[in-house]
Amino acid sequence: MKVNKHYAQLEESYLFSNIAHKVADYQAAHPDADIIRLGIGDVTLPLAKSVVEALHTASEEQGHKETFHGYIPSEQGYPFLREAIRDYYARRSVRLDTAEIFVSDGAKSDLGNLLDLFDVDNTVLVPDPVYPVYVDDNVMAGRPIRYLPATADNGFLPMPGADTAGDIVYLCSPNNPTGATYTREQLKVWVDWANAHDAVILFDAAYECFVTEPGLARSIYEVEGAETCAIEVCSFSKIAGFTGTRCGYTIVPEALLREGMSLNKMWLRRQTTKFNGVAYIVQRAAAAVFSPEGMEQIQQNLDYYRRNAAVIGAALEEAGVWYCGGKNSPYLWLKCPDGMTSWQFFDWLLDTAHVVGTPGEGFGACGEGYFRLTAFGDAERTKEAAARIVAALKTLH
Ligand code: PLP
């Protein structure tokens, strides 16, 4: 037998294990150090009350013959959830048909699974730095990857140029890790490029809920022409704290055709063959997010994280450190001071302030010299970390 040799091409994912080892070693050597973690991308607030109530009610239904739900009638998702997602987009003037919405167990799964629709000979364009999963998904399949450098010069938002060539393009906006967010005008340039080049954009909108500034896009379908070139992947993880509950959704427009084939029909066929749907109780919980009470409760949680981001941002400004993000995103992306590399700054910050962040280099070569802090922590601990960061950074000048 032969194994998939492409797995040997995967680079070891040292980022989070390295961080864990370094923090554990430091704590062992300094047992009294009170370490604050601002490195994680996981949320910390619990599920909203209306979501928990929906989980309880749906669980109770599953315990009675009359209300029990077995196999999901449509692997694509219950109509009640797809209608709620359709209406969530309609409130932002994006018209979707429920046939275009596919409920999933999270964005990560779909970002990988969607590649089933595309030939391995396609060239993939991936921003650098970015959520590392896009690269590994394609390395596993043996697809050639070209990187789109995201640098301070382009505001960490790569744009297509005259020589940009590729078949599948990942765009992540608001971006993990930089927090940079495309305007509608910028996305229009990508959409026009993709339509002209017969390419498909995989648009990761996992952090759309953090966007507040007008002019910035929360969905690629806010841009004319996107329905013929873009698939959007989204998640309940960040909007409603579903990182441990697992639910997401993917939009594949009916107008998206390539080589005479409907990508919507292909994805439906793929999902009905390889996926048996998301648990009924989880779909009920996800639908509760979009109820009026659910929306209000999750906004309170998002505001809590936004305040954390503002606290960290104010600290960086006070310390005179360049950063971006944190305004339409839970991530702040700072330039390591004094020419430190990402990992040097990691060690320095851990030692000087007992604060843990994520070295930018772990998200791609262009992330070297940068550092990610997240707003998903506890508010009091974030304030404490911010005060320590200011005090530590001031010792450098
Ligand atoms: N997309 C991006 C950009 C992310 O940062 C993450 C998680 O951190 C995901 C997708 C994964 O989302 P999910 O929890 O729905 O799998």
Side-chain angles (χ1 to χ4, degrees), residues 30-51:
H30 306 84
D32 295 333
D34 173 26
I35 296 172
I36 304 180
R37 289 171 172 77
L38 294 187
I40 47 156
D42 200 354
V43 295
T44 52
L45 291 175
L47 296 173
K49 194 163 170 279
S50 43
V51 170

PDB file of all heavy atoms in Angstrom, residues 30-51:
ATOM      1  N   HIS A  30       9.998  29.696  37.756  1.00  0.00           N
ATOM      2  CA  HIS A  30       9.518  30.872  38.521  1.00  0.00           C
ATOM      3  C   HIS A  30       8.133  30.563  39.069  1.00  0.00           C
ATOM      4  O   HIS A  30       7.127  31.108  38.588  1.00  0.00           O
ATOM      5  CB  HIS A  30       9.453  32.121  37.623  1.00  0.00           C
ATOM      6  CG  HIS A  30      10.733  32.435  36.930  1.00  0.00           C
ATOM      7  ND1 HIS A  30      11.106  31.839  35.749  1.00  0.00           N
ATOM      8  CD2 HIS A  30      11.733  33.286  37.251  1.00  0.00           C
ATOM      9  CE1 HIS A  30      12.294  32.300  35.377  1.00  0.00           C
ATOM     10  NE2 HIS A  30      12.698  33.178  36.280  1.00  0.00           N
ATOM     11  N   PRO A  31       8.068  29.702  40.076  1.00  0.00           N
ATOM     12  CA  PRO A  31       6.754  29.229  40.545  1.00  0.00           C
ATOM     13  C   PRO A  31       5.843  30.366  41.021  1.00  0.00           C
ATOM     14  O   PRO A  31       4.622  30.218  40.984  1.00  0.00           O
ATOM     15  CB  PRO A  31       7.094  28.293  41.714  1.00  0.00           C
ATOM     16  CG  PRO A  31       8.564  28.125  41.720  1.00  0.00           C
ATOM     17  CD  PRO A  31       9.179  29.139  40.833  1.00  0.00           C
ATOM     18  N   ASP A  32       6.411  31.488  41.432  1.00  0.00           N
ATOM     19  CA  ASP A  32       5.563  32.577  41.938  1.00  0.00           C
ATOM     20  C   ASP A  32       5.070  33.517  40.838  1.00  0.00           C
ATOM     21  O   ASP A  32       4.250  34.403  41.108  1.00  0.00           O
ATOM     22  CB  ASP A  32       6.334  33.412  42.980  1.00  0.00           C
ATOM     23  CG  ASP A  32       6.655  32.574  44.209  1.00  0.00           C
ATOM     24  OD1 ASP A  32       5.891  31.615  44.464  1.00  0.00           O
ATOM     25  OD2 ASP A  32       7.674  32.852  44.879  1.00  0.00           O
ATOM     26  N   ALA A  33       5.580  33.345  39.627  1.00  0.00           N
ATOM     27  CA  ALA A  33       5.184  34.261  38.542  1.00  0.00           C
ATOM     28  C   ALA A  33       3.698  34.063  38.213  1.00  0.00           C
ATOM     29  O   ALA A  33       3.245  32.934  37.986  1.00  0.00           O
ATOM     30  CB  ALA A  33       6.037  33.992  37.302  1.00  0.00           C
ATOM     31  N   ASP A  34       2.958  35.172  38.198  1.00  0.00           N
ATOM     32  CA  ASP A  34       1.525  35.148  37.887  1.00  0.00           C
ATOM     33  C   ASP A  34       1.379  35.433  36.385  1.00  0.00           C
ATOM     34  O   ASP A  34       1.327  36.591  35.968  1.00  0.00           O
ATOM     35  CB  ASP A  34       0.832  36.215  38.750  1.00  0.00           C
ATOM     36  CG  ASP A  34      -0.621  36.393  38.371  1.00  0.00           C
ATOM     37  OD1 ASP A  34      -1.216  35.431  37.852  1.00  0.00           O
ATOM     38  OD2 ASP A  34      -1.153  37.501  38.586  1.00  0.00           O
ATOM     39  N   ILE A  35       1.340  34.374  35.601  1.00  0.00           N
ATOM     40  CA  ILE A  35       1.382  34.524  34.139  1.00  0.00           C
ATOM     41  C   ILE A  35      -0.024  34.774  33.577  1.00  0.00           C
ATOM     42  O   ILE A  35      -0.981  34.087  33.941  1.00  0.00           O
ATOM     43  CB  ILE A  35       2.010  33.269  33.495  1.00  0.00           C
ATOM     44  CG1 ILE A  35       3.478  33.148  33.951  1.00  0.00           C
ATOM     45  CG2 ILE A  35       1.909  33.313  31.972  1.00  0.00           C
ATOM     46  CD1 ILE A  35       4.155  31.868  33.537  1.00  0.00           C
ATOM     47  N   ILE A  36      -0.145  35.782  32.713  1.00  0.00           N
ATOM     48  CA  ILE A  36      -1.429  36.078  32.053  1.00  0.00           C
ATOM     49  C   ILE A  36      -1.312  35.707  30.582  1.00  0.00           C
ATOM     50  O   ILE A  36      -0.372  36.114  29.900  1.00  0.00           O
ATOM     51  CB  ILE A  36      -1.799  37.574  32.186  1.00  0.00           C
ATOM     52  CG1 ILE A  36      -1.824  37.985  33.662  1.00  0.00           C
ATOM     53  CG2 ILE A  36      -3.163  37.836  31.536  1.00  0.00           C
ATOM     54  CD1 ILE A  36      -2.178  39.448  33.901  1.00  0.00           C
ATOM     55  N   ARG A  37      -2.293  34.949  30.109  1.00  0.00           N
ATOM     56  CA  ARG A  37      -2.244  34.474  28.716  1.00  0.00           C
ATOM     57  C   ARG A  37      -3.111  35.335  27.803  1.00  0.00           C
ATOM     58  O   ARG A  37      -4.337  35.317  27.921  1.00  0.00           O
ATOM     59  CB  ARG A  37      -2.705  33.012  28.666  1.00  0.00           C
ATOM     60  CG  ARG A  37      -1.696  32.062  29.281  1.00  0.00           C
ATOM     61  CD  ARG A  37      -2.235  30.653  29.428  1.00  0.00           C
ATOM     62  NE  ARG A  37      -1.178  29.734  29.834  1.00  0.00           N
ATOM     63  CZ  ARG A  37      -0.702  29.635  31.065  1.00  0.00           C
ATOM     64  NH1 ARG A  37      -1.184  30.398  32.020  1.00  0.00           N
ATOM     65  NH2 ARG A  37       0.271  28.759  31.347  1.00  0.00           N
ATOM     66  N   LEU A  38      -2.454  36.066  26.927  1.00  0.00           N
ATOM     67  CA  LEU A  38      -3.187  36.827  25.898  1.00  0.00           C
ATOM     68  C   LEU A  38      -2.833  36.263  24.524  1.00  0.00           C
ATOM     69  O   LEU A  38      -2.773  36.983  23.535  1.00  0.00           O
ATOM     70  CB  LEU A  38      -2.831  38.317  25.963  1.00  0.00           C
ATOM     71  CG  LEU A  38      -3.254  39.094  27.213  1.00  0.00           C
ATOM     72  CD1 LEU A  38      -2.969  40.575  27.043  1.00  0.00           C
ATOM     73  CD2 LEU A  38      -4.729  38.902  27.522  1.00  0.00           C
ATOM     74  N   GLY A  39      -2.564  34.958  24.511  1.00  0.00           N
ATOM     75  CA  GLY A  39      -2.130  34.344  23.267  1.00  0.00           C
ATOM     76  C   GLY A  39      -3.205  33.507  22.600  1.00  0.00           C
ATOM     77  O   GLY A  39      -3.168  33.274  21.403  1.00  0.00           O
ATOM     78  N   ILE A  40      -4.191  33.107  23.368  1.00  0.00           N
ATOM     79  CA  ILE A  40      -5.145  32.141  22.832  1.00  0.00           C
ATOM     80  C   ILE A  40      -6.176  32.791  21.907  1.00  0.00           C
ATOM     81  O   ILE A  40      -6.536  33.945  22.080  1.00  0.00           O
ATOM     82  CB  ILE A  40      -5.908  31.413  23.959  1.00  0.00           C
ATOM     83  CG1 ILE A  40      -6.422  32.436  24.988  1.00  0.00           C
ATOM     84  CG2 ILE A  40      -5.054  30.333  24.565  1.00  0.00           C
ATOM     85  CD1 ILE A  40      -7.594  31.958  25.757  1.00  0.00           C
ATOM     86  N   GLY A  41      -6.678  31.990  20.959  1.00  0.00           N
ATOM     87  CA  GLY A  41      -7.747  32.461  20.076  1.00  0.00           C
ATOM     88  C   GLY A  41      -9.088  31.926  20.546  1.00  0.00           C
ATOM     89  O   GLY A  41     -10.101  32.112  19.884  1.00  0.00           O
ATOM     90  N   ASP A  42      -9.089  31.242  21.696  1.00  0.00           N
ATOM     91  CA  ASP A  42     -10.344  30.692  22.213  1.00  0.00           C
ATOM     92  C   ASP A  42     -11.074  31.761  23.020  1.00  0.00           C
ATOM     93  O   ASP A  42     -10.443  32.622  23.636  1.00  0.00           O
ATOM     94  CB  ASP A  42     -10.053  29.476  23.106  1.00  0.00           C
ATOM     95  CG  ASP A  42     -11.277  28.579  23.271  1.00  0.00           C
ATOM     96  OD1 ASP A  42     -12.372  28.957  22.796  1.00  0.00           O
ATOM     97  OD2 ASP A  42     -11.138  27.499  23.878  1.00  0.00           O
ATOM     98  N   VAL A  43     -12.399  31.673  23.018  1.00  0.00           N
ATOM     99  CA  VAL A  43     -13.202  32.610  23.796  1.00  0.00           C
ATOM    100  C   VAL A  43     -13.203  32.174  25.263  1.00  0.00           C
ATOM    101  O   VAL A  43     -12.866  31.038  25.582  1.00  0.00           O
ATOM    102  CB  VAL A  43     -14.649  32.657  23.263  1.00  0.00           C
ATOM    103  CG1 VAL A  43     -14.672  33.208  21.860  1.00  0.00           C
ATOM    104  CG2 VAL A  43     -15.288  31.276  23.305  1.00  0.00           C
ATOM    105  N   THR A  44     -13.601  33.093  26.158  1.00  0.00           N
ATOM    106  CA  THR A  44     -13.615  32.734  27.583  1.00  0.00           C
ATOM    107  C   THR A  44     -14.987  32.939  28.225  1.00  0.00           C
ATOM    108  O   THR A  44     -15.242  32.397  29.294  1.00  0.00           O
ATOM    109  CB  THR A  44     -12.573  33.567  28.362  1.00  0.00           C
ATOM    110  OG1 THR A  44     -12.779  34.956  28.072  1.00  0.00           O
ATOM    111  CG2 THR A  44     -11.156  33.166  27.991  1.00  0.00           C
ATOM    112  N   LEU A  45     -15.870  33.721  27.566  1.00  0.00           N
ATOM    113  CA  LEU A  45     -17.200  33.929  28.157  1.00  0.00           C
ATOM    114  C   LEU A  45     -18.092  32.725  27.825  1.00  0.00           C
ATOM    115  O   LEU A  45     -17.959  32.130  26.753  1.00  0.00           O
ATOM    116  CB  LEU A  45     -17.833  35.208  27.609  1.00  0.00           C
ATOM    117  CG  LEU A  45     -17.180  36.517  28.061  1.00  0.00           C
ATOM    118  CD1 LEU A  45     -17.824  37.713  27.356  1.00  0.00           C
ATOM    119  CD2 LEU A  45     -17.264  36.686  29.578  1.00  0.00           C
ATOM    120  N   PRO A  46     -19.019  32.382  28.747  1.00  0.00           N
ATOM    121  CA  PRO A  46     -19.880  31.223  28.489  1.00  0.00           C
ATOM    122  C   PRO A  46     -20.937  31.524  27.437  1.00  0.00           C
ATOM    123  O   PRO A  46     -21.116  32.667  27.014  1.00  0.00           O
ATOM    124  CB  PRO A  46     -20.526  30.956  29.856  1.00  0.00           C
ATOM    125  CG  PRO A  46     -20.503  32.276  30.544  1.00  0.00           C
ATOM    126  CD  PRO A  46     -19.287  33.011  30.050  1.00  0.00           C
ATOM    127  N   LEU A  47     -21.654  30.483  27.036  1.00  0.00           N
ATOM    128  CA  LEU A  47     -22.737  30.639  26.053  1.00  0.00           C
ATOM    129  C   LEU A  47     -23.796  31.586  26.601  1.00  0.00           C
ATOM    130  O   LEU A  47     -24.017  31.653  27.821  1.00  0.00           O
ATOM    131  CB  LEU A  47     -23.383  29.276  25.782  1.00  0.00           C
ATOM    132  CG  LEU A  47     -22.493  28.214  25.133  1.00  0.00           C
ATOM    133  CD1 LEU A  47     -23.231  26.870  25.089  1.00  0.00           C
ATOM    134  CD2 LEU A  47     -22.075  28.633  23.731  1.00  0.00           C
ATOM    135  N   ALA A  48     -24.469  32.291  25.700  1.00  0.00           N
ATOM    136  CA  ALA A  48     -25.534  33.222  26.102  1.00  0.00           C
ATOM    137  C   ALA A  48     -26.709  32.432  26.705  1.00  0.00           C
ATOM    138  O   ALA A  48     -26.920  31.253  26.378  1.00  0.00           O
ATOM    139  CB  ALA A  48     -25.999  34.017  24.891  1.00  0.00           C
ATOM    140  N   LYS A  49     -27.467  33.128  27.561  1.00  0.00           N
ATOM    141  CA  LYS A  49     -28.576  32.478  28.282  1.00  0.00           C
ATOM    142  C   LYS A  49     -29.567  31.836  27.312  1.00  0.00           C
ATOM    143  O   LYS A  49     -29.997  30.698  27.510  1.00  0.00           O
ATOM    144  CB  LYS A  49     -29.284  33.549  29.134  1.00  0.00           C
ATOM    145  CG  LYS A  49     -30.211  33.039  30.180  1.00  0.00           C
ATOM    146  CD  LYS A  49     -30.503  34.158  31.188  1.00  0.00           C
ATOM    147  CE  LYS A  49     -31.614  33.768  32.137  1.00  0.00           C
ATOM    148  NZ  LYS A  49     -32.942  33.949  31.571  1.00  0.00           N
ATOM    149  N   SER A  50     -29.938  32.555  26.254  1.00  0.00           N
ATOM    150  CA  SER A  50     -30.947  31.999  25.343  1.00  0.00           C
ATOM    151  C   SER A  50     -30.409  30.788  24.578  1.00  0.00           C
ATOM    152  O   SER A  50     -31.177  29.893  24.211  1.00  0.00           O
ATOM    153  CB  SER A  50     -31.472  33.061  24.376  1.00  0.00           C
ATOM    154  OG  SER A  50     -30.435  33.827  23.884  1.00  0.00           O
ATOM    155  N   VAL A  51     -29.099  30.742  24.377  1.00  0.00           N
ATOM    156  CA  VAL A  51     -28.492  29.576  23.717  1.00  0.00           C
ATOM    157  C   VAL A  51     -28.569  28.368  24.653  1.00  0.00           C
ATOM    158  O   VAL A  51     -28.927  27.257  24.232  1.00  0.00           O
ATOM    159  CB  VAL A  51     -27.021  29.885  23.325  1.00  0.00           C
ATOM    160  CG1 VAL A  51     -26.298  28.631  22.871  1.00  0.00           C
ATOM    161  CG2 VAL A  51     -26.975  30.966  22.245  1.00  0.00           C
TER     162      VAL A  51
END
